[in-house]
């Protein structure tokens, strides 16, 4: 118990005792001395109480911070105990879920409807300390599965914000009104009339579902053992990350895909500028200047750049001064930090034409608002299908995820085309 609380309780007891003694018309000498002692103790406790509040102020702040972060920390720890192995056994053998995995699945089912077993997004993360079975005794020993190569995600590196929506749609109101300032021209003159405060809603809707299907043969199920669970999780994670990263920038807006930031630039109100020249710092500098003139960026270091690896290759080989070895790439990273530059063959279309031309994307974060949002709904829905491959004893697993992409303010992004 805190000292301040103990002192408060003692003060309450003293006041109660004093009230009983003060009510007597002729208190005895012992009662009078008792009142004097309690009065001294009461005054001393007031000083101790103020000192205790000062000493406990820091403890209260620490406790407040702990309460604010405790729920997120407990949820993260709970997700760390989710076992994909139990999901695989439940789908394959009908085994009942137990422990933390059963608790998580039950909570996810209460939040939304799933045909199969809901798998939280956190369960797809590659966790530190995980091991893979070295194989099972067999005439042929199967070693750990070597994964496919997937491109690294660039959506987060370009400032995009990943948000998870339990259900329904989400809208972000963006101010579109133009308020101008004016001066009073004369002593009795008026300033400009007020302008309406107008906003435009940028919706995120669960209209786009991404599906991944995995076919597991009977031999794989019998031979790989626990290594299969790890491999399926990693492969699902990589395939989903690759496709979500691609459509975030190159989504066509048709055939079930959301509108990507680059492919749907005109619909989002994003400026598209044709460079039609060799990649150089001057071409990117002009775009950065436009950002700064639009109050979207305060300096080149606030800008993020997405390019193809071929553009880096061309710029690093374009020498400005052969004597010093200075290249166009050196000039670029001198102004835009290397940590703000992302190179991806997945988020940008391959170069075409002669000379080969590609696109580039510039983004910036303004007032804490990310340049674009990538939303996911609920959890990954993992569905078991034992019938399609029943003749061969195989099993099909389908993972479904719903997502959408939107841009809050087009002025925070710019697409450069014709970068040679």
């Amino acid at each position: 118990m805190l000292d301040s609380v103990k002192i408060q309780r003692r003060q309450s007891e003293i006041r109660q005792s004093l009230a009983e003694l003060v009510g007597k018309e002729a208190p005895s000498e012992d009662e009078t001395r008792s009142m004097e002692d309690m009065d001294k103790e009461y005054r001393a406790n007031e000083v101790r109480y103020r000192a205790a509040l000062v000493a406990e102020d820091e403890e209260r702040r620490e406790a407040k911070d702990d309460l604010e972060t405790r729920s997120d920390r407990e949820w993260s720890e709970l997700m760390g105990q989710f076992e994909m192995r139990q999901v695989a056994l439940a789908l394959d053998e009908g085994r009942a879920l137990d422990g933390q995995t059963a608790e998580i699945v039950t909570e996810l089912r209460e939040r939304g409807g799933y045909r199969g077993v809901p798998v939280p997004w956190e369960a797809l993360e590659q966790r530190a300390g995980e091991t893979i079975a070295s194989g099972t005794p067999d005439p042929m020993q199967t070693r750990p599965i070597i994964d496919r190569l997937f491109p690294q995600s660039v959506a987060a590196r370009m400032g995009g914000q990943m948000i998870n929506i339990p259900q329904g749609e989400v809208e972000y109101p963006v101010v579109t009104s133009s308020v101008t300032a004016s001066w009073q021209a004369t002593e009795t003159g008026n300033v400009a009339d007020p302008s309406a405060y107008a906003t435009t809603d940028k919706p995120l809707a669960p209209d786009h579902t991404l599906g991944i299907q995995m076919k597991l043969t009977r031999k794989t199920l019998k031979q790989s053992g626990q290594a299969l669970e790890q491999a399926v999780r990693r492969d699902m994670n990589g395939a989903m990350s690759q496709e979500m990263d691609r459509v975030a920038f190159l989504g066509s807006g048709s055939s079930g895909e959301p509108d990507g930031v680059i492919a749907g630039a005109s619909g989002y109100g994003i400026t598209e500028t044709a460079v039609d020249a060799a990649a150089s710092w001057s071409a990117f500098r002009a775009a950065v200047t436009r950002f700064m003139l639009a109050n979207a960026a305060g300096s080149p270091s606030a800008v993020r750049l997405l390019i193809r690896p071929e553009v880096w290759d061309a710029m690093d080989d374009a020498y400005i001064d052969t004597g010093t070895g200075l290249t166009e790439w050196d000039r670029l990273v001198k102004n835009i930090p290397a940590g703000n530059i992302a190179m991806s063959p997945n988020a940008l279309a391959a170069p075409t034409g002669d000379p080969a031309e590609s696109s580039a994307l510039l983004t910036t974060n303004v007032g804490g608002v990310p340049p674009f949002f990538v939303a996911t709904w609920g959890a990954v829905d993992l569905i078991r299908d034992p019938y399609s491959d029943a003749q061969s004893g195989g099993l099909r697993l389908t993972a479904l995820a719903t997502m959408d992409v939107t841009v809050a303010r087009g002025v925070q992004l710019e697409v450069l085309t014709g970068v040679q």
Side-chain angles (χ1 to χ4, degrees), residues 222-238:
K222 298 299 182 184
Q223 185 179 40
S224 298
Q226 293 183 357
L228 179 63
E229 180 251 327
Q230 303 291 344
V232 167
R233 185 201 311 183
R234 290 194 305 271
D235 209 49
M236 183 192 305
N237 180 28

Side-chain angles (χ1 to χ4, degrees), residues 40-343:
K40 291 179 182 178
E41 183 182 356
Y42 190 89
R43 290 197 301 269
N45 284 346
E46 285 295 311
V47 177
R48 292 180 57 216
Y49 178 69
R50 290 192 296 270
L53 289 179
V54 174
E56 294 166 0
D57 182 62
E58 184 176 354
E59 296 180 17
R60 286 192 175 91
R61 287 199 299 269
E62 292 177 354
K64 176 177 177 294
D65 295 339
D66 180 67
L67 288 174
E68 291 177 349
T69 59
R70 182 178 298 172
S71 60
D72 294 338
R73 187 172 63 253
E74 291 178 348
W75 177 255
S76 178
E77 293 174 354
L78 184 64
M79 289 298 105
Q81 300 176 25
F82 187 90
E83 296 180 355
M84 283 287 290
R85 176 180 58 83
Q86 291 195 39
V87 177
L89 292 175
L91 294 176
D92 186 36
E93 305 174 359
R95 184 176 299 183
L97 302 176
D98 56 29
Q100 304 290 357
T101 303
E103 181 181 346
I104 294 171
V105 170
T106 302
E107 185 169 347
L108 289 173
R109 287 192 186 280
E110 291 177 353
R111 294 184 180 181
Y114 299 94
R115 290 186 56 195
V117 179
V119 179
W121 289 96
E122 291 84 353
L124 300 181
E125 298 174 352
Q126 295 184 16
R127 303 169 188 165
E130 287 180 333
T131 58
I132 301 175
S134 60
T136 55
D138 197 73
M140 177 70 71
Q141 188 181 46
T142 303
R143 302 302 300 174
I145 297 174
I146 300 176
D147 300 325
R148 287 184 289 170
L149 290 176
F150 293 106
Q152 294 184 349
S153 175
V154 297
R157 294 185 60 189
M158 290 302 294
Q161 181 177 344
M162 292 283 295
I163 58 176
N164 186 263
I165 304 171
Q167 58 187 7
E169 298 185 7
V170 174
E171 291 184 339
Y172 288 88
V174 180
V175 176
T176 56
S177 60
S178 178
V179 180
T180 57
S182 66
W183 292 91
Q184 185 181 22
T186 62
E187 182 179 355
T188 59
N190 296 327
V191 296
D193 293 334
S195 300
Y197 191 83
T199 62
T200 299
D201 292 333
K202 301 292 184 175
L204 286 166
D207 297 332
H208 312 282
T209 297
L210 169 66
I212 295 178
Q213 206 172 72
M214 294 160 286
K215 182 177 179 179
L216 309 179
T217 65
R218 180 176 177 82
K219 179 181 178 179
T220 303
L221 292 169
K222 298 299 182 184
Q223 185 179 40
S224 298
Q226 293 183 357
L228 179 63
E229 180 251 327
Q230 303 291 344
V232 167
R233 185 201 311 183
R234 290 194 305 271
D235 209 49
M236 183 192 305
N237 180 28
M240 279 192 169
S241 298
Q242 176 183 355
E243 184 59 18
M244 291 175 68
D245 212 39
R246 185 191 69 82
V247 299
F249 298 97
L250 300 178
S252 63
S254 60
S255 301
E257 296 183 0
D259 275 323
V261 171
I262 296 177
S266 58
Y268 288 125
I270 300 173
T271 301
E272 296 181 87
T273 304
V275 176
D276 296 334
S280 64
W281 161 238
S282 60
F284 296 114
R285 181 182 60 201
V288 172
T289 302
R290 287 190 288 272
F291 268 7
M292 298 174 68
L293 291 175
N295 297 323
S299 65
S301 61
V303 177
R304 298 176 184 268
L305 174 63
L306 173 61
I307 59 175
R308 291 274 309 186
E310 296 90 339
V311 174
W312 162 77
D313 180 53
M315 295 183 67
D316 198 46
D317 195 44
Y319 290 93
I320 301 172
D321 187 349
T322 56
T324 61
L326 189 66
T327 64
E328 290 288 350
W329 181 256
D330 296 327
R331 296 179 64 192
L332 176 66
V333 297
K334 180 181 178 181
N335 295 275
I336 299 179
N340 286 10
I341 302 175
M343 289 181 277

